[in-house]
Amino acid sequence: LQRFTADFRDLTSWVTEMKALINADELANDVAGAEALLDRHQEHKGEIDAHEDSFRTTDEAGQALLSTGHYASEEVKEKLGILAQEKESLLELWEVRRQQYEQCMDLQLFYRDTEQVDNWMSKQEAFLLNEDLGDSLDSVEALLKKHEDFEKSLSAQEEKITDPSNLQGKVQKHQAFEAELAANQSRIDALQKSGQELLDRKHYASAEVNARMEEVSEQWKKLLEATDLKGIKLREANQQQQFNRNVEDIELWLYEVEGLLASDDYGKDLTSVQNLQKKHALLEADVAAHQDRIDGITIQGRQFQEAGHFDADNIQKKQEALVVRYEALRDPMTARKQKLSDSLRLQQLFRDVEDEETWIREKEPIASSTNRGNVMQHCDVRSWFLTRR
């Protein structure tokens, strides 16, 4: 009996110490800590299993006392019940803590994954803001400005300036960026799935898990929206760049035409005037042929307005100024045509006078001759001269 009582006392004391030891560990705050908890908890299970023989031996000793009708049978029976309960409660406690530690590990893995996704999305957000994009292609000074943070830049992005010399490169980078986002969609889906599994298992930190899931979902949504917005702006900027190039080409052509129309060269003789008239006719045809290009610019400007292009107002101003400049060619073109026509008549008169003077010089010797043999010829000349007059 004394040996049984001593073994009982040792085992119950050990159970109390083991329970305290199992309950002593706090839940971990990271994956490494959670792994250490599980390892240590498994070591506790090893120690519990190692005491299995002691429990069995003590139980057998108690049962032997009972079978012999020992005078302290009631006390022995009570101690056997207590010992069984202590062992069972120890195993239950170990199992409860095991579940808690495994949930803790799941939670820390979930947190680690969400943190990795957060960091990845932050880098993607930084990429979106590294490539300045704004309302106009007219200035390059603002290209050197850097964004301080994502939210601030999203609101300020409308006022930044796009570098037209590198726009195509930015479009290509953004396409690669969009592909990377699409490739990481499965990563977000897996994270949401693991979080939902924690919720379905009634995880002790369900509220925190749900909050993190919503946070990641919202951040992903904003990232996709920002990506779409920038993609739209880059495409619009690319379209605007082509529009500006077309406008610049026409402006160069207008500059040349305006210079030709402003010329005060109306010809110095009949031939040069006729050549200038031919050139002017070609110029008129060229101006008329450019009407289609002007109409195309007008249509494109209207399309930008209807599509809500981010720089639609500046595009419209540029388009309207171009149309006004083109329309302004008509009056000087008509005026030059008239002046060339007047110059032609003048040069034709000069040519006729010159011809008359030449003829007169040629006939003067005949008219002043005293040779009778030339009398008839003189009469013919005089008659012909009167006819010319």
Side-chain angles (χ1 to χ4, degrees):
L1 177 63
Q2 296 301 320
R3 182 178 178 83
F4 169 79
T5 301
D7 290 342
F8 168 80
R9 187 167 53 248
D10 290 343
L11 284 176
T12 54
S13 177
W14 173 82
V15 168
T16 300
E17 292 175 359
M18 184 56 66
K19 285 181 178 179
L21 190 61
I22 291 175
N23 280 319
D25 288 326
E26 297 289 339
L27 295 180
N29 295 320
D30 53 42
V31 173
E35 290 176 342
L37 274 180
L38 284 172
D39 290 342
R40 190 158 54 250
H41 194 60
Q42 196 60 40
E43 291 175 0
H44 294 160
K45 184 62 165 62
E47 187 175 351
I48 293 173
D49 292 341
H51 277 73
E52 181 63 30
D53 288 343
S54 297
F55 277 100
R56 185 177 65 255
T57 300
T58 302
D59 183 73
E60 290 175 350
Q63 294 297 334
L65 290 173
L66 292 177
S67 63
T68 59
H70 194 280
Y71 69 88
S73 293
E74 290 300 322
E75 180 184 351
V76 170
K77 186 176 181 180
E78 180 182 0
K79 283 182 169 53
L80 285 175
I82 293 174
L83 191 62
Q85 290 177 356
E86 286 295 306
K87 177 184 177 182
E88 184 66 24
S89 65
L90 175 62
L91 291 174
E92 288 178 356
L93 175 62
W94 185 90
E95 179 61 24
V96 168
R97 293 297 277 176
R98 182 192 66 79
Q99 293 177 5
Q100 290 179 341
Y101 292 156
E102 287 185 351
Q103 286 187 345
C104 179
M105 170 62 83
D106 293 338
L107 180 64
Q108 295 308 320
L109 288 172
F110 175 76
Y111 283 165
R112 183 195 64 184
D113 292 343
T114 57
E115 184 176 355
Q116 290 175 349
V117 169
D118 284 343
N119 292 336
W120 176 78
M121 284 195 288
S122 295
K123 291 179 181 178
Q124 311 317 308
E125 291 163 356
F127 168 82
L128 286 176
L129 306 177
N130 240 357
E131 303 291 333
D132 291 341
L133 182 67
D135 290 346
S136 173
L137 296 173
D138 298 330
S139 169
V140 294
E141 292 181 358
L143 292 173
L144 300 177
K145 294 181 180 178
K146 297 297 182 180
H147 301 293
E148 294 180 358
D149 56 70
F150 183 60
E151 293 298 329
K152 179 179 178 181
S153 184
L154 277 179
S155 62
Q157 204 170 34
E158 293 293 329
E159 301 172 359
K160 298 300 177 185
I161 309 299
T162 301
D163 180 3
S165 66
N166 193 34
L167 186 56
Q168 188 58 38
K170 289 180 180 180
V171 171
Q172 293 174 350
K173 285 183 180 179
H174 191 73
Q175 289 172 344
F177 176 78
E178 289 176 322
E180 183 180 356
L181 286 190
N184 278 274
Q185 178 67 57
S186 59
R187 186 178 182 183
I188 303 299
D189 294 340
L191 183 64
Q192 294 293 335
K193 181 180 178 182
S194 65
Q196 188 59 49
E197 288 174 352
L198 294 178
L199 296 180
D200 293 341
R201 295 200 300 266
K202 309 299 182 183
H203 192 281
Y204 67 85
S206 293
E208 296 176 16
V209 171
N210 189 61
R212 289 301 296 273
M213 288 174 63
E214 291 180 354
E215 179 183 342
V216 170
S217 179
E218 183 63 22
Q219 189 176 2
W220 178 248
K221 179 182 177 182
K222 287 183 177 180
L223 180 60
L224 292 178
E225 290 174 350
T227 302
D228 289 341
L229 177 61
K230 183 168 184 180
I232 291 171
K233 285 183 174 294
L234 279 171
R235 287 189 288 273
E236 289 181 349
N238 199 28
Q239 294 168 351
Q240 184 180 7
Q241 186 182 63
Q242 186 59 52
F243 173 84
N244 284 354
R245 285 173 178 169
N246 292 337
V247 170
E248 288 168 3
D249 287 343
I250 296 176
E251 287 176 340
L252 288 175
W253 171 79
L254 283 169
Y255 179 78
E256 294 176 0
V257 173
E258 289 164 347
L260 292 173
L261 294 178
S263 173
D264 56 1
D265 180 12
Y266 299 107
K268 296 180 175 55
D269 54 42
L270 189 60
T271 300
S272 63
V273 173
Q274 290 172 336
N275 288 335
L276 287 174
Q277 283 186 314
K278 291 177 182 179
K279 291 181 180 180
H280 189 76
L282 292 174
L283 182 63
E284 288 180 314
D286 189 27
V287 171
H290 272 74
Q291 182 66 58
D292 288 342
R293 293 192 67 184
I294 298 298
D295 292 342
I297 292 293
T298 300
I299 292 172
Q300 194 174 10
R302 184 166 59 249
Q303 290 173 341
F304 284 140
Q305 284 282 347
E306 293 172 353
H309 190 285
F310 69 89
D311 201 24
D313 291 341
N314 286 328
I315 290 175
Q316 184 178 12
K317 290 177 183 177
K318 187 169 289 190
Q319 173 261 320
E320 290 174 349
L322 189 71
V323 171
V324 169
R325 193 172 170 187
Y326 175 76
E327 296 293 340
L329 295 177
R330 288 202 173 100
D331 289 345
M333 191 161 55
T334 300
R336 180 166 177 80
K337 182 176 182 179
Q338 182 61 47
K339 289 181 180 180
L340 285 173
S341 179
D342 294 342
S343 178
L344 179 66
R345 288 195 294 271
L346 179 61
Q347 295 299 332
Q348 185 64 58
L349 175 62
F350 290 163
R351 173 68 66 84
D352 291 343
V353 170
E354 184 180 348
D355 288 346
E356 292 295 337
E357 289 176 344
T358 300
W359 179 84
I360 291 173
R361 285 194 296 273
E362 291 176 352
K363 301 306 178 182
E364 277 181 345
I366 299 174
S368 61
S369 175
T370 56
N371 189 336
R372 288 185 176 182
N374 292 329
V375 172
M376 293 302 296
Q377 185 179 2
H378 175 74
C379 290
D380 292 341
V381 170
R382 184 173 183 275
S383 176
W384 186 81
F385 178 75
L386 292 174
T387 301
R388 285 176 65 86
R389 293 188 64 187

